[in-house]
Amino acid sequence: MQTTADATAIQAAVEHFIDRVLTDPALEGFRAKIDVGSLRPRARMFVIEALGGPELYRALDRDRRPHGVEDAEFERITCVLIESLADVGVSADVLALVRRRVDDLRPVVVMA
């Protein structure tokens, strides 16, 4: 069961993650392709799903896959996510689980 503290920590991690995505020089091309205004809500849904929550991100995008994100961009975004979660104190086992779940989301996001 998720507590208020868990929800607050997840929110902080997502905000940290988004801030890093928006400032990472390696993701300049990615930012040029996306609607930055919709990044925050979509990133929240993505992270919630990656943490084992409901499939909000997949449900949102069932009819619009994939997003045209390149594999290298996806890898960098994944690294930024893992680093952001680690920065707020997420344990190594949870980080490994998140990595596996994020990899499961790859076909939803990465262009073929």
Side-chain angles (χ1 to χ4, degrees), residues 16-100:
H16 182 58
F17 163 63
I18 294 167
D19 290 344
R20 289 187 60 187
V21 167
L22 291 174
T23 59
D24 190 315
L27 293 171
E28 188 174 333
F30 167 75
R31 288 190 300 274
K33 293 190 279 189
I34 63 163
D35 172 12
V36 174
S38 70
L39 180 62
R40 287 188 193 282
R42 295 171 75 80
R44 283 185 199 103
M45 287 184 261
F46 185 86
V47 173
I48 287 168
E49 189 169 334
L51 288 169
E55 289 189 358
L56 300 173
Y57 189 82
R58 287 180 212 257
L60 174 72
D61 290 329
R62 271 195 220 295
D63 60 339
R64 297 184 306 195
R65 298 187 273 182
H67 292 294
V69 174
E70 296 173 18
D71 198 56
E73 293 167 333
F74 185 83
E75 268 311 306
R76 180 65 195 143
I77 291 167
T78 300
C79 289
V80 170
L81 174 60
I82 299 299
E83 291 165 3
S84 297
L85 292 171
D87 288 348
V88 297
V90 173
S91 70
D93 347 345
V94 173
L95 293 176
L97 178 61
V98 168
R99 176 63 200 213
R100 287 192 303 276

